[in-house]
Amino acid sequence: MSLLDVTGLRVRSADGRDLVRDLSFTIGPGERLGLIGESGSGKSLTALAVTGLLPSGMTASGSVVLDTPETGPSEVVGAPERRLNGLRGRVVSVVFQEPLTALDPLMRVGRQLAEPIRRRRGLRGAALRAAVAAALQEVRITEPGRVARAYPHEISGGQRQRVAIAMALACEPALLIADEPTTALDVTVQAEVLALLGGLVTARGMALLFIGHDLAVVSGITDRVLVLKDGEAVESGTVREIVDAPRHPYTRSLVAGARHLDSALDWTNR
Ligand SMILES: Nc1ncnc2c1ncn2[C@@H]1O[C@H](COP(=O)(O)OP(=O)(O)O)[C@@H](O)[C@H]1O
Ligand SMILES: [Mg+2]
């Protein structure tokens, strides 16, 4: 059984350009797939098409099926917003590159995080406050009390991304999509947030679609990789296969250019 089954996905712009073409892949429960490609290759549009969040004017065709024992199979392409709302959060959740896109600037962090937890688990009052504190601790926020009372602009970029991860996990999704979740962070914070994300995905047995442009990063956190170029898949395989024997010239250039690849591969042997 596949949790996510994408078949012949195409994303077309308002002016009729095909930005993603004939893309097919599957992710099973608990599997980790990396989507890698240069800037503008269609990675984010793929993530948005999977969650039914394409910008207005853009259209998806083909098929995107999300299937969990709890919900049964659901076709995302062409689904009404009401159906999509039932899938977002508890079936699939996204962490975006820029944490501020996930956070309301005018609402204290604790209140924002409380909302999905309340909806999912029906908690109120002191129990809800305790669950919010636990969620902040789970993403290793060191001062959960202060952060819960802060507005998003009052905490650091790394803390904001940790909060965005906590928000994405609050509804206990079966599939987490992480779209370049560390690209906007300082290098020192990047490794911490990646390790946190990998640990949480393992601890919860979630499936992961991890999007990135750096093969060293993507290969460190995923098992299989799909290489995207100009909106099309050019190669896919296990991290080992891609790194040891890249076939497409673009993949070869990615492998040759991957910095710190050796250490990333050591990390893969978990
Ligand atoms: N809202 C939009 N309107 C028009 N074109 C867009 C929009 N978003 C993305 N694109 C175009 O679609 C292509 C793929 O974009 P995207 O999926 O964001 O790339 P990636 O995430 O791989 O960097 C790019 O050429 C980009 O310019
Ligand atoms: Mg992108």
Short mmCIF file of all heavy atoms in Angstrom, two decimals, residues 151-206:
data_model
loop_
_atom_site.label_atom_id
_atom_site.label_comp_id
_atom_site.label_asym_id
_atom_site.label_seq_id
_atom_site.Cartn_x
_atom_site.Cartn_y
_atom_site.Cartn_z
N TYR A 151 5.76 36.70 20.34
CA TYR A 151 5.28 36.78 18.97
C TYR A 151 6.38 36.25 18.05
O TYR A 151 7.56 36.30 18.43
CB TYR A 151 4.94 38.23 18.62
CG TYR A 151 3.70 38.73 19.34
CD1 TYR A 151 3.80 39.41 20.54
CD2 TYR A 151 2.43 38.46 18.82
CE1 TYR A 151 2.67 39.83 21.23
CE2 TYR A 151 1.30 38.87 19.49
CZ TYR A 151 1.42 39.56 20.69
OH TYR A 151 0.30 39.95 21.35
N PRO A 152 6.02 35.76 16.84
CA PRO A 152 7.04 35.16 15.97
C PRO A 152 8.28 36.02 15.77
O PRO A 152 9.40 35.49 15.74
CB PRO A 152 6.28 34.93 14.66
CG PRO A 152 4.87 34.65 15.10
CD PRO A 152 4.66 35.57 16.28
N HIS A 153 8.12 37.36 15.65
CA HIS A 153 9.31 38.19 15.39
C HIS A 153 10.21 38.30 16.60
O HIS A 153 11.33 38.79 16.50
CB HIS A 153 8.89 39.58 14.88
CG HIS A 153 8.31 40.46 15.94
ND1 HIS A 153 6.96 40.49 16.22
CD2 HIS A 153 8.89 41.31 16.82
CE1 HIS A 153 6.73 41.33 17.20
NE2 HIS A 153 7.88 41.84 17.59
N GLU A 154 9.74 37.86 17.76
CA GLU A 154 10.54 37.99 18.98
C GLU A 154 11.43 36.77 19.25
O GLU A 154 12.13 36.72 20.26
CB GLU A 154 9.61 38.21 20.19
CG GLU A 154 8.89 39.54 20.11
CD GLU A 154 7.85 39.72 21.22
OE1 GLU A 154 7.26 38.70 21.67
OE2 GLU A 154 7.61 40.86 21.62
N ILE A 155 11.36 35.75 18.37
CA ILE A 155 12.22 34.59 18.56
C ILE A 155 13.15 34.44 17.35
O ILE A 155 12.93 35.06 16.31
CB ILE A 155 11.39 33.29 18.78
CG1 ILE A 155 10.49 33.00 17.59
CG2 ILE A 155 10.56 33.41 20.06
CD1 ILE A 155 9.67 31.72 17.71
N SER A 156 14.18 33.62 17.48
CA SER A 156 15.19 33.52 16.42
C SER A 156 14.66 32.70 15.24
O SER A 156 13.66 31.98 15.36
CB SER A 156 16.45 32.85 16.96
OG SER A 156 16.21 31.47 17.18
N GLY A 157 15.35 32.80 14.10
CA GLY A 157 14.95 32.04 12.92
C GLY A 157 14.92 30.54 13.18
O GLY A 157 14.01 29.84 12.74
N GLY A 158 15.91 30.06 13.90
CA GLY A 158 15.96 28.63 14.23
C GLY A 158 14.79 28.23 15.11
O GLY A 158 14.16 27.19 14.90
N GLN A 159 14.47 29.08 16.11
CA GLN A 159 13.32 28.79 16.98
C GLN A 159 12.02 28.83 16.19
O GLN A 159 11.13 28.01 16.40
CB GLN A 159 13.27 29.81 18.13
CG GLN A 159 14.32 29.53 19.20
CD GLN A 159 14.36 30.63 20.24
OE1 GLN A 159 14.15 31.81 19.94
NE2 GLN A 159 14.64 30.25 21.48
N ARG A 160 11.91 29.80 15.25
CA ARG A 160 10.70 29.88 14.43
C ARG A 160 10.51 28.60 13.62
O ARG A 160 9.40 28.10 13.50
CB ARG A 160 10.77 31.08 13.48
CG ARG A 160 10.42 32.39 14.14
CD ARG A 160 10.09 33.45 13.11
NE ARG A 160 11.25 33.90 12.38
CZ ARG A 160 11.97 34.97 12.71
NH1 ARG A 160 11.64 35.71 13.74
NH2 ARG A 160 13.02 35.32 11.99
N GLN A 161 11.62 28.08 13.03
CA GLN A 161 11.47 26.86 12.24
C GLN A 161 11.12 25.67 13.14
O GLN A 161 10.34 24.80 12.76
CB GLN A 161 12.73 26.59 11.39
CG GLN A 161 12.56 25.55 10.28
CD GLN A 161 11.49 25.88 9.26
OE1 GLN A 161 10.31 26.04 9.60
NE2 GLN A 161 11.86 25.99 8.00
N ARG A 162 11.65 25.65 14.37
CA ARG A 162 11.26 24.59 15.31
C ARG A 162 9.77 24.68 15.63
O ARG A 162 9.08 23.66 15.72
CB ARG A 162 12.08 24.69 16.60
CG ARG A 162 13.52 24.28 16.43
CD ARG A 162 14.35 24.67 17.66
NE ARG A 162 15.77 24.59 17.37
CZ ARG A 162 16.52 23.51 17.57
NH1 ARG A 162 15.97 22.44 18.10
NH2 ARG A 162 17.78 23.50 17.25
N VAL A 163 9.27 25.91 15.80
CA VAL A 163 7.84 26.09 16.07
C VAL A 163 7.02 25.64 14.85
O VAL A 163 5.99 24.97 14.99
CB VAL A 163 7.53 27.57 16.43
CG1 VAL A 163 6.02 27.81 16.46
CG2 VAL A 163 8.16 27.94 17.76
N ALA A 164 7.50 25.99 13.64
CA ALA A 164 6.78 25.59 12.43
C ALA A 164 6.74 24.05 12.33
O ALA A 164 5.74 23.47 11.90
CB ALA A 164 7.44 26.19 11.19
N ILE A 165 7.82 23.40 12.73
CA ILE A 165 7.85 21.93 12.74
C ILE A 165 6.83 21.40 13.76
O ILE A 165 6.05 20.49 13.47
CB ILE A 165 9.27 21.39 13.04
CG1 ILE A 165 10.20 21.70 11.85
CG2 ILE A 165 9.25 19.89 13.31
CD1 ILE A 165 11.68 21.43 12.13
N ALA A 166 6.80 22.02 14.94
CA ALA A 166 5.83 21.61 15.96
C ALA A 166 4.40 21.78 15.45
O ALA A 166 3.53 20.93 15.68
CB ALA A 166 6.04 22.42 17.24
N MET A 167 4.14 22.88 14.72
CA MET A 167 2.81 23.11 14.14
C MET A 167 2.47 22.00 13.15
O MET A 167 1.35 21.49 13.11
CB MET A 167 2.75 24.44 13.40
CG MET A 167 3.04 25.66 14.22
SD MET A 167 1.58 26.45 14.88
CE MET A 167 0.76 26.95 13.40
N ALA A 168 3.46 21.66 12.30
CA ALA A 168 3.22 20.65 11.27
C ALA A 168 2.96 19.28 11.90
O ALA A 168 2.24 18.46 11.34
CB ALA A 168 4.41 20.57 10.31
N LEU A 169 3.57 19.02 13.05
CA LEU A 169 3.42 17.71 13.70
C LEU A 169 2.21 17.63 14.60
O LEU A 169 1.82 16.54 15.03
CB LEU A 169 4.68 17.40 14.53
CG LEU A 169 5.99 17.27 13.77
CD1 LEU A 169 7.09 16.79 14.70
CD2 LEU A 169 5.85 16.32 12.60
N ALA A 170 1.59 18.79 14.91
CA ALA A 170 0.55 18.84 15.93
C ALA A 170 -0.63 17.93 15.61
O ALA A 170 -1.26 17.38 16.50
CB ALA A 170 0.07 20.28 16.11
N CYS A 171 -0.94 17.77 14.32
CA CYS A 171 -2.08 16.93 13.94
C CYS A 171 -1.64 15.49 13.65
O CYS A 171 -2.42 14.71 13.10
CB CYS A 171 -2.82 17.52 12.75
SG CYS A 171 -3.63 19.06 13.15
N GLU A 172 -0.41 15.16 13.99
CA GLU A 172 0.11 13.80 13.83
C GLU A 172 -0.06 13.27 12.41
O GLU A 172 -0.73 12.26 12.18
CB GLU A 172 -0.57 12.88 14.86
CG GLU A 172 -0.34 13.38 16.27
CD GLU A 172 -1.20 12.67 17.31
OE1 GLU A 172 -2.08 11.87 16.93
OE2 GLU A 172 -0.97 12.92 18.51
N PRO A 173 0.55 13.99 11.42
CA PRO A 173 0.37 13.57 10.03
C PRO A 173 1.08 12.24 9.74
O PRO A 173 2.09 11.92 10.37
CB PRO A 173 1.07 14.70 9.25
CG PRO A 173 2.11 15.22 10.18
CD PRO A 173 1.50 15.12 11.55
N ALA A 174 0.53 11.50 8.78
CA ALA A 174 1.18 10.27 8.33
C ALA A 174 2.37 10.60 7.43
O ALA A 174 3.34 9.85 7.37
CB ALA A 174 0.17 9.39 7.59
N LEU A 175 2.25 11.73 6.71
CA LEU A 175 3.29 12.15 5.78
C LEU A 175 3.69 13.59 6.08
O LEU A 175 2.83 14.47 6.14
CB LEU A 175 2.78 12.06 4.33
CG LEU A 175 3.67 12.68 3.24
CD1 LEU A 175 4.99 11.92 3.11
CD2 LEU A 175 2.95 12.70 1.89
N LEU A 176 4.98 13.80 6.27
CA LEU A 176 5.49 15.16 6.44
C LEU A 176 6.24 15.55 5.18
O LEU A 176 7.09 14.80 4.69
CB LEU A 176 6.44 15.22 7.64
CG LEU A 176 7.02 16.61 7.94
CD1 LEU A 176 5.93 17.55 8.45
CD2 LEU A 176 8.15 16.52 8.96
N ILE A 177 5.89 16.71 4.63
CA ILE A 177 6.65 17.26 3.51
C ILE A 177 7.50 18.40 4.05
O ILE A 177 6.97 19.32 4.68
CB ILE A 177 5.71 17.78 2.39
CG1 ILE A 177 4.84 16.64 1.86
CG2 ILE A 177 6.53 18.41 1.27
CD1 ILE A 177 3.88 17.05 0.76
N ALA A 178 8.80 18.32 3.83
CA ALA A 178 9.69 19.38 4.29
C ALA A 178 10.33 19.99 3.05
O ALA A 178 11.11 19.34 2.36
CB ALA A 178 10.74 18.81 5.24
N ASP A 179 9.94 21.24 2.74
CA ASP A 179 10.41 21.90 1.52
C ASP A 179 11.56 22.84 1.87
O ASP A 179 11.34 23.96 2.32
CB ASP A 179 9.25 22.67 0.87
CG ASP A 179 9.65 23.27 -0.48
OD1 ASP A 179 10.83 23.14 -0.88
OD2 ASP A 179 8.77 23.87 -1.14
N GLU A 180 12.78 22.36 1.69
CA GLU A 180 13.99 23.12 2.01
C GLU A 180 13.90 23.74 3.41
O GLU A 180 14.10 24.95 3.56
CB GLU A 180 14.24 24.22 0.96
CG GLU A 180 14.17 23.67 -0.46
CD GLU A 180 15.29 24.15 -1.36
OE1 GLU A 180 16.37 24.48 -0.86
OE2 GLU A 180 15.07 24.16 -2.59
N PRO A 181 13.63 22.92 4.41
CA PRO A 181 13.31 23.47 5.74
C PRO A 181 14.49 24.16 6.42
O PRO A 181 14.29 24.88 7.39
CB PRO A 181 12.90 22.23 6.54
CG PRO A 181 13.63 21.11 5.89
CD PRO A 181 13.64 21.44 4.43
N THR A 182 15.70 23.95 5.91
CA THR A 182 16.85 24.57 6.60
C THR A 182 17.58 25.58 5.72
O THR A 182 18.55 26.18 6.15
CB THR A 182 17.87 23.49 7.05
OG1 THR A 182 18.37 22.82 5.90
CG2 THR A 182 17.22 22.49 7.98
N THR A 183 17.08 25.78 4.49
CA THR A 183 17.79 26.64 3.55
C THR A 183 17.90 28.08 4.05
O THR A 183 18.89 28.76 3.78
CB THR A 183 17.10 26.59 2.17
OG1 THR A 183 17.04 25.22 1.77
CG2 THR A 183 17.85 27.37 1.12
N ALA A 184 16.88 28.55 4.77
CA ALA A 184 16.89 29.95 5.21
C ALA A 184 17.62 30.15 6.54
O ALA A 184 17.68 31.26 7.04
CB ALA A 184 15.45 30.46 5.32
N LEU A 185 18.18 29.07 7.11
CA LEU A 185 18.77 29.17 8.45
C LEU A 185 20.29 29.30 8.39
O LEU A 185 20.93 28.91 7.41
CB LEU A 185 18.41 27.92 9.26
CG LEU A 185 16.92 27.62 9.43
CD1 LEU A 185 16.72 26.32 10.18
CD2 LEU A 185 16.22 28.77 10.13
N ASP A 186 20.88 29.83 9.46
CA ASP A 186 22.35 29.87 9.57
C ASP A 186 22.90 28.46 9.51
O ASP A 186 22.26 27.51 9.99
CB ASP A 186 22.75 30.48 10.93
CG ASP A 186 22.38 31.94 11.02
OD1 ASP A 186 22.10 32.54 9.97
OD2 ASP A 186 22.34 32.46 12.14
N VAL A 187 24.11 28.34 8.97
CA VAL A 187 24.71 27.01 8.78
C VAL A 187 24.74 26.21 10.08
O VAL A 187 24.45 25.02 10.10
CB VAL A 187 26.13 27.16 8.19
CG1 VAL A 187 26.81 25.80 8.10
CG2 VAL A 187 26.04 27.77 6.79
N THR A 188 25.09 26.86 11.18
CA THR A 188 25.21 26.12 12.45
C THR A 188 23.85 25.59 12.90
O THR A 188 23.77 24.52 13.48
CB THR A 188 25.78 27.02 13.57
OG1 THR A 188 25.04 28.24 13.56
CG2 THR A 188 27.24 27.30 13.36
N VAL A 189 22.80 26.36 12.62
CA VAL A 189 21.46 25.96 13.05
C VAL A 189 20.90 24.88 12.12
O VAL A 189 20.13 24.02 12.54
CB VAL A 189 20.52 27.20 13.08
CG1 VAL A 189 19.13 26.83 13.54
CG2 VAL A 189 21.11 28.26 13.99
N GLN A 190 21.32 24.92 10.85
CA GLN A 190 20.83 23.96 9.85
C GLN A 190 20.98 22.52 10.31
O GLN A 190 20.04 21.73 10.25
CB GLN A 190 21.60 24.11 8.54
CG GLN A 190 21.11 25.24 7.67
CD GLN A 190 21.83 25.27 6.32
OE1 GLN A 190 22.42 24.27 5.91
NE2 GLN A 190 21.77 26.39 5.65
N ALA A 191 22.19 22.17 10.75
CA ALA A 191 22.47 20.78 11.12
C ALA A 191 21.60 20.36 12.30
O ALA A 191 21.09 19.24 12.33
CB ALA A 191 23.94 20.62 11.44
N GLU A 192 21.41 21.27 13.26
CA GLU A 192 20.58 20.95 14.43
C GLU A 192 19.13 20.68 14.03
O GLU A 192 18.52 19.73 14.51
CB GLU A 192 20.57 22.13 15.41
CG GLU A 192 21.83 22.31 16.20
CD GLU A 192 21.80 23.61 17.00
OE1 GLU A 192 20.69 24.15 17.26
OE2 GLU A 192 22.88 24.10 17.32
N VAL A 193 18.61 21.55 13.16
CA VAL A 193 17.21 21.40 12.76
C VAL A 193 17.01 20.13 11.92
O VAL A 193 16.02 19.42 12.06
CB VAL A 193 16.71 22.67 12.03
CG1 VAL A 193 15.33 22.47 11.42
CG2 VAL A 193 16.67 23.84 12.99
N LEU A 194 18.01 19.82 11.07
CA LEU A 194 17.94 18.58 10.28
C LEU A 194 17.93 17.35 11.18
O LEU A 194 17.14 16.43 10.99
CB LEU A 194 19.16 18.48 9.36
CG LEU A 194 19.05 19.04 7.98
CD1 LEU A 194 20.36 18.81 7.24
CD2 LEU A 194 17.90 18.38 7.22
N ALA A 195 18.83 17.36 12.17
CA ALA A 195 18.91 16.22 13.09
C ALA A 195 17.60 16.09 13.86
O ALA A 195 17.09 14.98 14.07
CB ALA A 195 20.09 16.40 14.03
N LEU A 196 17.04 17.23 14.27
CA LEU A 196 15.76 17.22 14.98
C LEU A 196 14.67 16.60 14.12
O LEU A 196 13.93 15.72 14.54
CB LEU A 196 15.38 18.66 15.36
CG LEU A 196 13.97 18.83 15.92
CD1 LEU A 196 13.89 18.27 17.32
CD2 LEU A 196 13.56 20.30 15.92
N LEU A 197 14.59 17.07 12.87
CA LEU A 197 13.56 16.59 11.95
C LEU A 197 13.69 15.09 11.72
O LEU A 197 12.72 14.34 11.81
CB LEU A 197 13.71 17.36 10.63
CG LEU A 197 12.53 17.41 9.69
CD1 LEU A 197 11.37 18.12 10.34
CD2 LEU A 197 12.94 18.14 8.42
N GLY A 198 14.92 14.65 11.44
CA GLY A 198 15.16 13.21 11.22
C GLY A 198 14.75 12.38 12.43
O GLY A 198 14.12 11.34 12.30
N GLY A 199 15.09 12.88 13.61
CA GLY A 199 14.76 12.16 14.84
C GLY A 199 13.26 12.07 15.06
O GLY A 199 12.74 11.01 15.45
N LEU A 200 12.54 13.16 14.80
CA LEU A 200 11.09 13.17 15.01
C LEU A 200 10.39 12.24 14.01
O LEU A 200 9.43 11.55 14.35
CB LEU A 200 10.55 14.59 14.87
CG LEU A 200 10.91 15.54 16.00
CD1 LEU A 200 10.54 16.98 15.64
CD2 LEU A 200 10.23 15.13 17.29
N VAL A 201 10.88 12.24 12.76
CA VAL A 201 10.28 11.38 11.74
C VAL A 201 10.45 9.92 12.15
O VAL A 201 9.52 9.12 12.06
CB VAL A 201 10.91 11.67 10.35
CG1 VAL A 201 10.53 10.60 9.34
CG2 VAL A 201 10.46 13.03 9.85
N THR A 202 11.63 9.58 12.65
CA THR A 202 11.87 8.21 13.12
C THR A 202 11.00 7.89 14.33
O THR A 202 10.33 6.85 14.36
CB THR A 202 13.36 8.05 13.50
OG1 THR A 202 14.15 8.37 12.36
CG2 THR A 202 13.66 6.62 13.94
N ALA A 203 11.00 8.79 15.31
CA ALA A 203 10.26 8.52 16.56
C ALA A 203 8.78 8.31 16.30
O ALA A 203 8.14 7.48 16.95
CB ALA A 203 10.47 9.69 17.53
N ARG A 204 8.23 9.04 15.34
CA ARG A 204 6.79 8.94 15.08
C ARG A 204 6.45 7.99 13.96
O ARG A 204 5.27 7.81 13.64
CB ARG A 204 6.24 10.32 14.75
CG ARG A 204 6.34 11.30 15.91
CD ARG A 204 5.53 12.50 15.58
NE ARG A 204 5.44 13.43 16.68
CZ ARG A 204 4.41 14.25 16.81
NH1 ARG A 204 3.42 14.21 15.95
NH2 ARG A 204 4.38 15.10 17.81
N GLY A 205 7.46 7.43 13.32
CA GLY A 205 7.20 6.49 12.22
C GLY A 205 6.50 7.16 11.04
O GLY A 205 5.76 6.52 10.31
N MET A 206 6.77 8.48 10.86
CA MET A 206 6.13 9.20 9.76
C MET A 206 6.84 8.90 8.45
O MET A 206 8.01 8.55 8.44
CB MET A 206 6.26 10.72 9.98
CG MET A 206 5.29 11.31 10.96
SD MET A 206 5.49 13.10 11.07
CE MET A 206 7.07 13.27 11.87
#
